[in-house]
Amino acid sequence: MQFGDILKKLLEENNLTQKQFAAALNLAASTVSSYVQNARQPDFEILCRIAKFFDVSTDYLLDYHPKSKSSPLESELLRNFRTLSPEQQSIYIEQGKVFSKLNQKGKETSSKQIS
């Protein structure tokens, strides 16, 4: 995915217009528009400001996923988790544990059927 596509997705997820985002970062609206259209890339300083604004890594913005790092889905999961209140985060964790237990039970059932 290109930088502009990722930026567009972040804007949509945060219910921000390009104009609002540009004002928040003290950028020209036309500059943000060129980023979203993949016609232009931000310099390093702007890239860091965008990452800080959305609380994501520069790797995420650049769609760079080293093998030792998390996958895009894991990054999205963490990003979404960080937007929740502490109470919602606790519920989210408990729901994840339920899914893990169900997966484990499914594996145990499958291995018993094979034996």
Side-chain angles (χ1 to χ4, degrees):
M1 194 180 295
Q2 293 185 29
F3 171 77
D5 302 321
I6 293 167
L7 179 57
K8 183 177 181 180
K9 180 180 175 185
L10 287 168
L11 291 170
E12 289 171 356
E13 288 175 356
N14 289 276
N15 295 316
L16 287 171
T17 65
Q18 291 179 26
K19 197 172 192 176
Q20 291 169 324
F21 176 68
L25 265 67
N26 199 26
L27 299 171
S30 60
T31 300
V32 172
S33 176
S34 66
Y35 293 160
V36 171
Q37 294 172 13
N38 290 305
R40 184 174 166 193
Q41 299 286 324
D43 62 25
F44 184 72
E45 177 193 343
I46 301 298
L47 184 70
C48 290
R49 287 173 46 199
I50 293 170
K52 186 175 181 178
F53 181 85
F54 286 114
D55 194 25
V56 298
S57 69
T58 53
D59 284 352
Y60 177 82
L61 291 174
L62 298 172
D63 199 27
Y64 175 71
H65 308 285
K67 291 182 182 180
S68 63
K69 300 287 180 176
S70 61
S71 72
L73 285 175
E74 289 171 317
S75 295
E76 185 172 359
L77 180 70
L78 183 57
R79 190 169 35 79
N80 288 327
F81 180 81
R82 288 178 177 161
T83 66
L84 303 174
S85 70
E87 181 180 332
Q88 291 169 326
Q89 287 177 346
S90 294
I91 294 169
Y92 202 73
I93 293 295
E94 291 306 313
Q95 288 176 337
K97 289 177 182 177
V98 169
F99 282 118
S100 294
K101 286 178 184 177
L102 288 172
N103 284 342
Q104 187 60 36
K105 285 181 182 180
K107 289 177 185 176
E108 291 170 2
T109 303
S110 295
S111 65
K112 286 180 183 177
Q113 290 176 350
I114 294 173
S115 299

